[in-house]
Amino acid sequence: MHTNRAWKIKGNGGKLHNLNSHRFFIDHQCASCGWSFEDIPDRSSIKTLDDYKAFWHKQIKEKHWKKKWNNQGVHQLFDNIKKGDFLWTRDSGEYFVAEITDDPKNLFYFDTSLEATDNDCSAQLKNIEWVKVGKEDSVPGSVSFYPGFGSLVRIDSHEETINQACPYTPTSLFSALCLKPSQNLMKKHKITNKMEFFHLIGYAAAEDLVALWLYDRFGYVTIPSTNKISTEKYEFALVDTSIDDSGKYINHKKIYIQVKNGNVNLNTNDYSSLLLENEEIWLISTLGTIDNKKSSSRIERLFRKSSNISIEKYDINELLNFVFDKNKQKILPTSITQWIPLFL
């Protein structure tokens, strides 16, 4: 059974990768990864994908370019994408998705028109219908995040199929639901592995989730202005709202948060040296590791105790339990709760 995968195409065509080709994609119901060979008269002879591949290799050889077909986006577009896969792109902050409804070899079309050439979109995957989904808060984090520098990237490469009888990954299931909203599809393919939730939420939603969990668990409150400060060491700062019997706040400590949503490693040594007295740093890697240790304890609290650095560990499932606890969901933003119905 073929696994329906999800891909994202950049749409920056041209030799300098400075063209906004994605607008051409949407207007002309196609996708392209460049290599239009605009200066070569013989290109008008290209009719099929096999013609195009032969032409591509001939030009590379004649021009002595050190390029390999298997390293190019056009290879991914026509050889690796399969019927039933989904393709994403973005234009002016809006995300669009399309389904590949046939073998890409059958959808190949070489367009020599001036408009296609000017947009570096001559070699096209044609007859795909783009559907607007919405802005960043409407799509999974796997879609809004672009992993790598290639013109075309598979964005669910770290995801498993929902179950053995299901052809979808969480991201491709969401893609299918965008195109064909179906209660039957949702009921038939509920996601059982709650860890997949982190593939669906974006980095901003992950930060919101951590902040709300810390408020619920420890009474920590975010200082909004600190989220605007550009720093590699923390995302935002919080304060402890613990009070005594008289209503007086009893702690003056500052809490700093570093959240990585995805398969990212965090090193405690990069942060422990920043700690002053009466401060905490929280490290969270939702799907990665801390200090390269494979463990579910991917939440760590670092603080100074008698001039030494102490570390408390928490299980990443605490965040998931918080999300799926119906008693807590009313304080969660839509960017988090919209994904809950996809799970059992």
Side-chain angles (χ1 to χ4, degrees):
M1 180 178 61
H2 168 66
T3 299
N4 300 130
R5 290 293 184 177
W7 304 74
K8 188 174 181 181
I9 190 166
K10 250 184 183 176
N12 293 337
K15 294 178 180 178
L16 299 178
H17 305 293
N18 59 350
L19 299 177
N20 293 328
S21 305
H22 36 67
R23 188 67 251 173
F24 183 90
F25 299 168
I26 296 161
D27 291 341
H28 296 271
Q29 300 295 292
C30 70
S32 180
C33 287
W35 289 101
S36 295
F37 297 106
E38 67 276 11
D39 300 325
I40 313 299
D42 292 347
R43 73 189 189 122
S44 59
S45 64
I46 298 173
K47 304 299 180 185
T48 67
L49 179 57
D50 288 338
D51 292 343
Y52 179 71
K53 288 181 179 180
F55 185 89
W56 192 95
H57 286 289
K58 180 174 181 289
Q59 296 304 316
I60 297 302
K61 184 177 180 180
E62 289 180 355
K63 296 179 184 301
H64 304 288
W65 288 342
K66 294 181 179 179
K67 302 288 185 180
K68 294 183 178 180
W69 171 260
N70 288 354
N71 294 337
Q72 308 306 316
V74 284
H75 160 63
Q76 297 271 38
L77 186 63
F78 298 113
D79 291 339
N80 287 354
I81 287 182
K82 305 299 181 186
K83 178 182 178 180
D85 285 359
F86 299 91
L87 195 58
W88 287 85
T89 195
R90 184 181 68 174
D91 179 60
S92 301
E94 298 277 358
Y95 287 85
F96 295 76
V97 65
E99 183 179 3
I100 309 305
T101 57
D102 199 354
D103 187 327
K105 183 176 182 178
N106 299 331
L107 298 176
F108 175 84
Y109 175 68
F110 198 81
D111 187 348
T112 58
S113 69
L114 181 61
E115 186 180 10
T117 303
D118 286 346
N119 283 278
D120 197 14
C121 291
S122 291
Q124 298 175 9
L125 188 68
K126 192 67 173 170
N127 297 326
I128 60 174
E129 183 177 351
W130 290 103
V131 173
K132 184 167 72 172
V133 176
K135 296 187 182 296
E136 186 171 315
D137 60 357
S138 302
V139 302
S142 52
V143 172
S144 59
F145 175 68
Y146 195 93
F149 300 97
S151 57
L152 179 65
V153 176
R154 203 181 86 193
I155 54 177
D156 60 355
S157 57
H158 295 293
E159 300 177 26
E160 303 289 340
T161 54
I162 292 170
N163 57 60
Q164 291 183 344
C166 176
Y168 297 105
T169 64
T171 300
S172 65
L173 174 62
F174 175 80
S175 307
L177 289 168
C178 289
L179 296 170
K180 300 174 184 177
S182 166
Q183 290 298 320
N184 288 334
L185 186 62
M186 287 187 65
K187 290 178 181 178
K188 184 178 179 181
H189 299 300
K190 287 285 188 179
I191 303 172
T192 56
N193 181 6
K194 288 186 170 57
M195 203 62 67
E196 298 287 0
F197 187 82
F198 294 121
H199 286 299
L200 296 175
I201 61 172
Y203 69 90
E207 293 174 7
D208 291 344
L209 173 58
V210 170
L212 289 166
W213 173 72
L214 287 170
Y215 167 74
D216 180 74
R217 184 87 150 73
F218 300 98
Y220 294 171
V221 173
T222 304
I223 304 173
S225 61
T226 61
N227 199 30
K228 302 173 185 176
I229 299 173
S230 178
T231 172
E232 294 181 1
K233 295 302 181 184
Y234 66 88
E235 314 294 353
F236 49 86
L238 304 91
V239 292
D240 187 348
T241 61
S242 300
I243 57 176
D244 62 17
D245 292 339
S246 67
K248 179 182 178 181
Y249 292 110
I250 58 177
N251 284 318
H252 186 60
K253 66 181 175 183
K254 292 291 192 303
I255 301 103
Y256 301 99
I257 307 298
Q258 180 60 268
V259 182
K260 295 299 181 185
N261 186 34
N263 187 19
V264 180
N265 180 63
L266 292 172
N267 294 305
T268 54
N269 288 338
D270 293 339
Y271 303 91
S272 56
S273 61
L274 303 174
L275 270 178
L276 302 177
E277 292 292 337
N278 215 31
E279 289 185 346
E280 293 179 3
I281 293 180
W282 287 76
L283 304 180
I284 299 96
S285 180
T286 58
L287 294 166
T289 57
I290 297 180
D291 293 330
N292 290 306
K293 296 176 181 177
K294 293 184 178 181
S295 166
S296 61
S297 299
R298 298 194 293 273
I299 303 174
E300 289 192 358
R301 171 182 174 243
L302 282 62
F303 59 98
R304 285 194 175 274
K305 188 175 183 180
S306 302
S307 74
N308 295 318
I309 300 295
S310 295
I311 298 176
E312 289 181 356
K313 297 178 183 289
Y314 297 83
D315 197 295
I316 197 66
N317 283 294
E318 287 209 31
L319 285 181
L320 294 173
N321 293 339
F322 178 62
V323 167
F324 289 97
D325 185 340
K326 293 182 179 179
N327 295 323
K328 314 288 187 181
Q329 290 174 1
K330 288 189 181 297
I331 70 166
L332 298 177
T334 304
S335 60
I336 294 173
T337 58
Q338 65 182 330
W339 309 114
I340 294 174
L342 295 178
F343 292 79
L344 276 177

